[in-house]
Amino acid sequence: NIKSSTQQKLYDVALKAAQSIDYESAGTLEFIMDKDENFYFIEMNTRVQVEHPITEQITGVDIIKEQIRIAEGRPLSIQQEDLLINGCSIELRINAEDPYDNFKPLSGPIKDIHLPGGNGLRIDSFLYQGYTILPFYDSMIAKVIVHSRTREDAIEKAIRSMEELNIEGIKTNQEFQLEILLSEAFLDNNYDTSLVEKLLKGEIQ
């Protein structure tokens, strides 16, 4: 959890950057932050990000719909002061890859599939039984998004969704996603960008 003052600085910088280039569409500015909450600009993506369901879940705003409105020359249906953050959301990217073999991408047929469901659970995917994952594209095959009142509740939903998700016929990173969710560092909200590497090396549990 970062200080509200730091959050406001991030918002202000992002807004100023977009205004400085007269940007009109959905877009994302990315920053990296150190333990002292000093943040540094990485890049701007002039498109909807893979993580956009997170924002949609905690704000209730359909970002794709708003992006289309902008493209049509219509005004946004909301104002900045209308945006309220509600609860916590976590997104799990399910990839056809082997995390334990240097995240090697994989391809092949989906023999069977069961997607979890329930309150506060959203799944964005094109998968179906009999579909063949081809080797020519990005390895991401589904996004599992959970939303709940608190981070703890959201983590419980995320764990349950990974336990219930079943994709047969091809290896995915589902097991490793569960390993991350159950790690002490993630549960304690005390981790950084080295988490994945440390888990794979067995340096943390």
Side-chain angles (χ1 to χ4, degrees):
N1 297 325
I2 63 175
K3 299 175 183 176
S4 58
S5 58
T6 304
Q7 290 180 346
Q8 188 60 51
K9 289 179 183 178
L10 283 165
Y11 297 151
D12 293 343
V13 169
L15 184 60
K16 185 176 180 180
Q19 290 173 336
S20 69
I21 58 173
D22 296 325
Y23 186 70
E24 293 185 7
S25 186
T28 306
L29 279 86
E30 294 187 10
F31 301 86
I32 191 167
M33 183 180 295
D34 63 22
K35 59 183 177 61
D36 297 318
E37 297 195 0
N38 299 306
F39 58 86
Y40 307 89
F41 174 73
I42 298 177
E43 64 178 1
M44 179 177 183
N45 288 295
T46 54
R47 56 178 170 79
V48 172
Q49 284 283 65
V50 176
E51 304 90 346
H52 79 271
I54 293 289
T55 304
E56 293 186 336
Q57 294 298 101
I58 63 175
T59 63
V61 176
D62 187 331
I63 297 177
I64 303 301
K65 181 178 180 180
E66 296 301 325
Q67 185 182 35
I68 293 172
R69 289 178 63 92
I70 296 170
E72 292 177 340
R74 300 162 66 191
L76 292 172
S77 64
I78 56 170
Q79 299 298 316
Q80 185 66 39
E81 55 268 23
D82 298 328
L83 290 177
L84 299 174
I85 304 301
N86 176 32
C88 178
S89 185
I90 298 173
E91 179 178 298
L92 305 152
R93 300 187 195 182
I94 307 303
N95 292 347
E97 63 185 19
D98 186 356
Y100 308 103
D101 188 13
N102 199 31
F103 294 92
K104 177 182 177 182
L106 303 169
S107 58
I110 301 297
K111 296 180 180 178
D112 193 20
I113 181 170
H114 170 74
L115 301 176
N119 181 44
L121 176 60
R122 165 180 169 178
I123 297 180
D124 293 358
S125 180
F126 54 87
L127 290 187
Y128 58 86
Q129 184 176 343
Y131 178 82
T132 297
I133 298 174
L134 301 175
F136 312 114
Y137 311 106
D138 189 284
S139 63
M140 187 172 67
I141 54 177
K143 293 187 294 185
V144 178
I145 306 102
V146 298
H147 178 245
S148 194
R149 185 177 57 84
T150 65
R151 181 177 187 270
E152 291 73 20
D153 289 344
I155 290 175
E156 287 185 12
K157 284 187 179 182
I159 291 172
R160 189 163 62 250
S161 70
M162 287 300 95
E163 292 174 339
E164 296 178 1
L165 177 66
N166 182 42
I167 301 174
E168 296 184 10
I170 190 168
K171 188 175 180 61
T172 73
N173 65 339
Q174 175 185 348
E175 180 182 338
F176 187 60
Q177 294 278 20
L178 189 56
E179 187 176 341
I180 292 174
L181 291 167
L182 293 171
S183 68
E184 290 185 11
F186 185 80
L187 291 172
D188 292 341
N189 200 20
N190 183 26
Y191 62 95
D192 54 29
T193 54
S194 67
L195 176 64
V196 169
E197 182 181 0
K198 289 179 179 178
L199 279 174
L200 289 172
K201 290 182 177 180
E203 296 177 359
I204 59 175
Q205 300 296 322

